[in-house]
């Protein structure tokens, strides 16, 4: 196979995501630790690029670090209850000050960042919207939380009006009550509420860490809502991250289809997360992201691309497009996060209805050893049983052990249905014949 330049490969990989995100609304929550001179300009450049690609952006910024710094500098004491800061009158003044200052820094960075955009002379308008209505948290366990509040309502109409006008909407984690009182909000909660209210396509949390780390200390590349709740129950997260993950789960509950948590510090991670298959951080969705489905004709180009390297190595026999077209309904495809990672096909024989053949089991190289092969086999066995098949053959040149470890036994080509024996003998692949007796297997 001719070598493909890495840029070409990357661009082709990104193209469907670029297409998909055009015109979609993304809510991005920027952790307070990222509003500094090192992170902001790089992030601003990437956000500008997203806006130039037609993504509608709402940017919610955190203030925790700045408020704590200001309070320390001005000798104002800070108290917390149930991990939430108690916002006294004096602390609220610092919130206002920090909010104005961070908003100004973000706007300055965004107007510098347009150098990477396709239309460098066009500066993106930024609207600072007071789109959040708040109410006080009230008294918690006998503790008055004072001016710490929660979101009462989001003015989604206003957000959409600003977005329709081509602006980035910048939102502070503060909200106003109907009687004109200002309350300090959690940025995570504010971002989640806005994402749900405006029916955002995605909610991105940009943080210091690379994503969410599980109990085993490894980064969780993907999580469904149930897995996220298990992590929350395990108590292995530090407080901030726990609140973040809770907000992520609430966003999924509220109908946001994808929440992505990633580093806002690593240069370009936002682009890696959005425009590569594997992303850079943790991607959350309500349902499990892996599914196996029947193939259809529109899958043929991708299926052919999955099989091509294995055919070139002689591991699978060659199938041209016409053959794939003829037999596409035999194929089951394994997708993760809408990307194709594996396939398997079930062949049946008119003259031997109780016999089936597992064909063309393949998992793309970068996704091997994650159990996908096993999942495809389990799915095929279910389909074979449903079709009344009792003996399932697999012909393989290099994978006999894999099948043997999963209950298949070596068999003779004479045991194959007659029409298949003829094909077997006419080609020179000398595949090993393996068979699984489904009537002996527990369903
Ligand atoms: N022979 C024996 N064992 C093999 C193997 C082979 N050719 N290929 C992979 N394995 C083992 C791995 O070492 C791993 O073992 P471990 O769990 O002890 O570490 C295990 O199988 C991985 O299983 P799983 O994750 O379920 O499989 P997978 O998603 O990596 O997919 C194949 C397995 C065989 C489908 C994949 O390797 C593949 O696409 N191979 C090329 C195509 C092929 O040979 N197809 C079969 C012809 S029909
Ligand atoms: N780029 C794709 C998306 O934005 C896939 C991202 C996968 N990310 C991950 N952390 N697993 O939907």
């Amino acid at each position: 196979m001719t070598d493909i330049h890495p840029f070409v490969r990357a661009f082709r990989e990104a193209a469907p995501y670029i297409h998909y995100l055009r015109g979609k609304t993304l809510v991005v929550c920027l952790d307070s630790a990222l509003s500094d001179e090192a992170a902001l300009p790089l992030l601003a450049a990437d956000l500008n690029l997203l806006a130039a690609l037609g993504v509608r952006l709402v940017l919610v910024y955190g203030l925790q670090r700045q408020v704590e710094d200001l309070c320390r500098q001005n000798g104002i004491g800070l108290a917390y209850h149930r991990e939430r800061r108690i916002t006294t009158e004096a602390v609220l003044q610092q919130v206002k000050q920090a909010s104005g200052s961070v908003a100004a820094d973000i706007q300055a960075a965004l107007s510098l960042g347009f150098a990477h955009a396709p239309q460098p002379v066009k500066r993106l308008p930024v609207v600072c919207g007071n789109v959040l209505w708040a109410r006080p948290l009230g008294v918690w366990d006998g503790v008055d939380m004072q001016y710490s509040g929660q979101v009462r309502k989001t003015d989604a109409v206003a957000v959409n009006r600003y977005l329709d006008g081509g602006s980035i909407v910048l939102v502070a984690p503060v909200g106003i009550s109907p009687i004109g009182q200002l309350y300090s909000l959690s940025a995570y909660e504010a971002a989640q509420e806005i994402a749900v209210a405006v029916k955002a396509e995605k909610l991105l949390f940009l943080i210091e860490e690379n994503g969410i780390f599980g109990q085993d200390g490894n980064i969780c590349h993907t999580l469904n809502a149930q897995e996220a709740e298990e992590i929350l129950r395990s108590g292995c997260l530090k407080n901030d991250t726990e609140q973040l993950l809770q907000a992520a789960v609430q966003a999924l509950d509220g109908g946001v289809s994808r929440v992505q948590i990633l580093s806002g510090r690593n240069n370009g991670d936002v682009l890696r997360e959005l425009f590569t298959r594997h992303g850079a951080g943790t991607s959350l969705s309500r349902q499990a992201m892996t599914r196996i489905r029947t193939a259809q004709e529109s899958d043929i180009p991708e299926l052919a691309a999955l099989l091509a390297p294995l055919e070139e190595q002689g591991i699978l026999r060659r199938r041209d497009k016409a053959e794939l077209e003829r037999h596409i309904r035999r194929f089951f495809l394994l997708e993760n996060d809408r990307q194709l990672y594996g396939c398997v096909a079930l062949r049946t024989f008119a003259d031997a209805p109780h016999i089936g053949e597992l064909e063309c089991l393949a998992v793309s190289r970068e996704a091997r050893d994650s159990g996908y092969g096993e999942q495809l086999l389990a799915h095929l066995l279910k389909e074979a049983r449903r079709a009344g098949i009792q003996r399932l053959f697999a012909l393989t040149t290099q994978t006999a052990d894999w099948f043997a470890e999963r209950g298949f036994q070596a068999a003779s080509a004479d045991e194959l249905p007659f029409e298949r024996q003829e094909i077997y003998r006419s080609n020179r692949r000398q595949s090993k014949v393996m068979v699984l007796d489904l009537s002996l297997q527990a369903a």
Side-chain angles (χ1 to χ4, degrees):
M1 202 173 22
T2 46
D3 277 348
I4 301 173
H5 191 283
F7 170 76
V8 175
R9 195 190 301 277
F11 198 77
R12 285 182 179 154
E13 186 175 338
Y17 297 115
I18 295 174
H19 173 72
Y20 171 73
L21 284 176
R22 185 172 304 129
K24 302 275 170 36
T25 302
L26 253 67
V27 175
V28 181
C29 181
L30 189 66
D31 194 275
S32 64
L34 297 169
S35 294
D36 62 25
E37 282 171 12
L40 258 193
L42 297 172
L43 277 176
D46 288 347
L47 292 174
N48 263 287
L49 182 56
L50 289 179
L53 292 175
V55 179
R56 294 152 61 91
L57 286 173
V58 180
L59 186 55
V60 181
Y61 53 92
L63 290 174
Q64 188 174 330
R65 179 165 293 187
Q66 290 77 8
V67 170
E68 286 174 356
D69 287 350
L70 278 173
C71 286
R72 212 169 298 120
Q73 282 160 28
N74 296 326
I76 297 165
L78 280 167
Y80 297 82
H81 181 64
R82 282 205 250 149
E83 320 304 342
R84 272 298 292 269
R85 191 187 58 229
I86 300 168
T87 308
T88 59
E89 179 77 52
V91 175
L92 189 62
Q93 294 312 315
Q94 315 311 308
V95 172
K96 289 190 210 169
Q97 197 178 323
S99 177
S101 153
V102 172
D105 287 347
I106 293 176
Q107 288 176 75
L110 282 171
S111 43
L112 258 184
F114 60 78
H116 289 208
Q119 297 156 289
V121 284
K122 201 174 149 224
R123 181 175 295 187
L124 264 172
V126 178
V127 176
C128 300
N130 58 334
V131 296
L132 294 171
W133 293 98
R135 62 163 165 252
L137 287 181
V139 178
W140 280 2
D141 315 314
V143 178
D144 186 356
M145 302 301 288
Q146 303 190 40
Y147 298 107
S148 297
Q150 57 190 309
V151 177
R152 178 183 172 133
K153 217 174 84 188
T154 301
D155 189 346
V157 174
V159 175
N160 277 320
R161 195 178 328 115
Y162 299 143
L163 292 171
D164 292 345
S167 301
I168 291 189
V169 185
L170 190 59
V171 183
V174 292
I176 301 165
S177 75
I179 55 163
Q181 176 59 52
L182 203 70
Y183 287 94
S184 168
L185 307 171
S186 139
Y188 299 152
E189 188 200 324
Q192 171 256 313
E193 292 277 354
I194 295 172
V196 171
V198 302
K199 299 187 174 31
E201 192 64 25
K202 285 166 183 264
L203 168 59
L204 261 61
F205 286 106
L206 305 185
I207 58 172
E208 279 280 10
E209 294 80 25
N210 290 344
I212 298 290
F213 289 80
Q215 278 167 282
D216 58 3
N218 292 323
I219 188 160
C220 305
H221 196 55
T222 57
L223 285 176
N224 61 40
Q226 198 186 336
E227 291 165 336
E229 271 157 10
E230 273 162 29
I231 294 184
L232 284 169
R233 272 196 300 274
S234 76
C236 71
L237 300 178
K238 57 181 183 99
N239 293 331
D240 274 8
T241 320
E242 196 173 297
Q243 287 175 22
L244 165 64
L245 195 57
Q246 261 155 4
V249 171
Q250 275 162 15
L252 297 176
D253 286 346
V256 178
S257 57
R258 193 58 50 90
V259 180
Q260 285 153 294
I261 302 174
L262 58 142
S263 165
R265 179 77 60 193
N266 298 341
N267 191 356
D269 268 15
V270 173
L271 302 183
R272 278 210 302 138
E273 178 60 32
L274 291 175
F275 299 115
T276 66
R277 276 169 156 223
H278 285 285
T282 301
S283 176
L284 292 101
S285 64
R286 196 75 250 117
Q287 308 295 339
M289 290 192 204
T290 306
R291 66 169 185 152
I292 298 177
R293 63 171 176 86
T294 309
Q296 48 197 24
E297 267 168 32
S298 55
D299 295 312
I300 290 174
E302 254 201 295
L303 179 60
L306 172 76
L307 301 178
L310 293 163
E311 292 175 350
E312 281 184 24
Q313 291 164 51
I315 297 174
L316 295 179
R317 86 172 161 77
R318 277 186 196 280
R319 288 166 174 81
D320 58 19
K321 291 243 163 78
E323 182 179 353
L324 288 178
E325 255 167 42
R326 247 188 344 271
H327 299 311
I328 192 65
R329 293 282 158 187
R330 289 181 182 172
F331 279 84
F332 300 99
L333 306 183
L334 182 146
E335 290 178 329
N336 185 301
D337 209 5
R338 294 188 289 255
Q339 300 295 321
L340 179 65
Y341 283 104
C343 66
V344 68
L346 177 62
R347 178 172 181 172
T348 52
F349 301 93
D351 62 345
H354 300 303
I355 293 182
E357 182 181 344
L358 173 157
E359 286 190 313
C360 207
L361 173 67
V363 171
S364 62
R365 184 160 291 284
E366 79 273 17
R368 299 243 174 108
D369 295 336
S370 324
Y372 286 170
E374 192 84 51
Q375 286 182 45
L376 282 161
L377 175 62
H379 188 85
L380 194 95
L381 295 184
K382 212 167 66 196
E383 292 292 333
R385 281 199 185 88
R386 195 181 298 165
I389 287 165
Q390 287 166 7
R391 282 167 73 68
L392 184 71
F393 284 90
L395 275 64
T396 175
T397 51
Q398 298 182 25
T399 319
D401 285 2
W402 191 88
F403 286 109
E405 283 164 28
R406 284 150 186 87
F408 282 75
Q409 291 181 340
S412 145
D414 300 339
E415 296 175 56
L416 291 167
F418 187 67
E419 59 167 296
R420 187 65 178 93
Q421 284 182 34
E422 287 192 328
I423 302 168
Y424 180 82
R425 299 219 161 84
S426 67
N427 77 35
R428 296 163 171 274
R429 286 176 59 79
Q430 296 296 318
S431 303
K432 291 199 170 125
V433 181
M434 308 293 289
V435 69
L436 185 71
D437 194 337
L438 292 180
S439 59
L440 300 178
Q441 292 249 316

